[in-house]
Amino acid sequence: MAQSRDTQTIKVLIVDDHPLMRVGVAAIVDGRPDMTTVAQASSGEEAIEQYERHLPDITLMDLRLPQMSGVEAIRSIRRLHPQARFVVLTTYEGDEDIHQALEAGAQGYIIKGMPYDSLLQAIARVYSGGRFLPVPVKLALASRPPHSELSHREQQVLDLLATGNSNKRIGELLGITEATVKCHVSTILMRLNAVDRTQAVISALQRGLVHF
């Protein structure tokens, strides 16, 4: 006879590109009698493969991964498995990082460096069907300015802006006119409440709109 969900061991997949981080998190998880690490992955692509192979109850997902990001991996898995449950475990604290992760389908969000009890609480809470957002995460999310969404093209312009490209060069790279780039930059400044390009990039970095 199958065990009920309440008495079942929670199967956890750990996704992080740092081996020591994975080992440390696995030790915390496996130290609990009601939890077990079923697999580890070092990339978004590998996370998808391991999810399909093990069908974990909870996936602990870092956001900063090589090539495919953690957010992209969450979206990819949830397209095939809408019931999949995720707790983000990351260093990213920006309101946009949090917003994107939750929009993708994460139900918990933990900042690396928080007490490990928070991680165990998050796993248990999300497993039981709830959400887990610690106070610092809630405050960051609450600080997200209204109407600050960027379009795909605006995000492309911002990414190139952040790496020091001129309007002319951005236009060449994106195949649009310099005048169009200027329009996008003006919109970006308005949405980020910035007075110039430098302030816009600083704000974007703080909020998690761009990463270096």
Side-chain angles (χ1 to χ4, degrees), residues 190-210:
M190 178 187 68
R191 295 201 187 284
L192 296 184
N193 194 27
V195 297
D196 55 31
R197 297 158 66 102
T198 300
Q199 192 178 65
V201 171
I202 292 172
S203 175
L205 285 168
Q206 291 173 337
R207 294 187 50 210
L209 282 160
V210 295

Side-chain angles (χ1 to χ4, degrees), residues 18-82:
H18 291 93
L20 287 177
M21 187 67 191
R22 294 197 305 272
V23 170
V25 172
I28 294 170
V29 171
D30 294 335
R32 284 284 297 258
D34 57 343
M35 299 179 186
T36 185
T37 302
V38 294
Q40 298 181 23
S42 61
S43 68
E45 294 84 355
E46 189 180 0
I48 295 170
E49 293 173 7
Q50 294 294 349
Y51 189 95
E52 292 291 343
R53 184 175 303 169
H54 298 278
L55 296 177
D57 298 306
I58 300 291
T59 298
L60 300 179
M61 181 73 72
D62 191 9
L63 295 185
R64 185 170 188 171
L65 297 169
Q67 298 179 326
M68 176 184 285
S69 72
V71 166
E72 291 170 328
I74 292 173
R75 288 189 181 124
S76 295
I77 291 171
R78 281 181 61 86
R79 272 195 290 269
L80 296 174
H81 303 277

Side-chain angles (χ1 to χ4, degrees), residues 8 34 39 84 86 100 162 168-169 175 177 181 186 188 194 199-200 202:
Q8 209 170 14
D34 57 343
F86 296 87
Q100 290 294 332
K168 181 179 180 181
R169 181 57 179 158
T177 67
V181 173
S186 295
I188 290 168
Q199 192 178 65
I202 292 172

Side-chain angles (χ1 to χ4, degrees), residues 6-211:
D6 291 334
T7 59
Q8 209 170 14
T9 300
I10 303 172
K11 299 182 296 182
V12 179
L13 166 61
I14 300 169
V15 185
D16 197 292
D17 61 337
H18 291 93
L20 287 177
M21 187 67 191
R22 294 197 305 272
V23 170
V25 172
I28 294 170
V29 171
D30 294 335
R32 284 284 297 258
D34 57 343
M35 299 179 186
T36 185
T37 302
V38 294
Q40 298 181 23
S42 61
S43 68
E45 294 84 355
E46 189 180 0
I48 295 170
E49 293 173 7
Q50 294 294 349
Y51 189 95
E52 292 291 343
R53 184 175 303 169
H54 298 278
L55 296 177
D57 298 306
I58 300 291
T59 298
L60 300 179
M61 181 73 72
D62 191 9
L63 295 185
R64 185 170 188 171
L65 297 169
Q67 298 179 326
M68 176 184 285
S69 72
V71 166
E72 291 170 328
I74 292 173
R75 288 189 181 124
S76 295
I77 291 171
R78 281 181 61 86
R79 272 195 290 269
L80 296 174
H81 303 277
Q83 80 288 354
R85 295 176 180 176
F86 296 87
V87 173
V88 169
L89 180 59
T90 185
T91 57
Y92 291 162
E93 303 181 53
D95 65 274
E96 189 64 22
D97 292 312
I98 300 167
H99 172 76
Q100 290 294 332
L102 297 180
E103 282 287 299
Q107 296 90 353
Y109 199 104
I110 301 292
I111 306 298
K112 291 177 181 178
M114 287 182 173
Y116 73 84
D117 281 349
S118 296
L119 176 61
L120 296 174
Q121 290 171 23
I123 294 172
R125 180 86 57 82
V126 172
Y127 177 75
S128 66
R131 297 180 86 192
F132 189 88
L133 302 176
V135 172
V137 172
K138 288 180 179 178
L139 291 175
L141 197 59
S143 72
R144 187 169 185 267
H147 313 299
S148 61
E149 293 276 0
L150 297 180
S151 68
H152 177 66
R153 177 64 86 189
E154 288 162 358
Q155 184 64 54
Q156 287 180 313
V157 172
L158 178 60
D159 289 339
L160 293 170
L161 199 67
T163 51
N165 291 282
S166 66
N167 288 351
K168 181 179 180 181
R169 181 57 179 158
I170 293 172
E172 292 170 351
L173 291 169
L174 297 180
I176 57 180
T177 67
E178 188 174 351
T180 299
V181 173
K182 288 180 180 178
C183 288
H184 286 313
V185 171
S186 295
T187 301
I188 290 168
L189 294 180
M190 178 187 68
R191 295 201 187 284
L192 296 184
N193 194 27
V195 297
D196 55 31
R197 297 158 66 102
T198 300
Q199 192 178 65
V201 171
I202 292 172
S203 175
L205 285 168
Q206 291 173 337
R207 294 187 50 210
L209 282 160
V210 295
H211 300 104

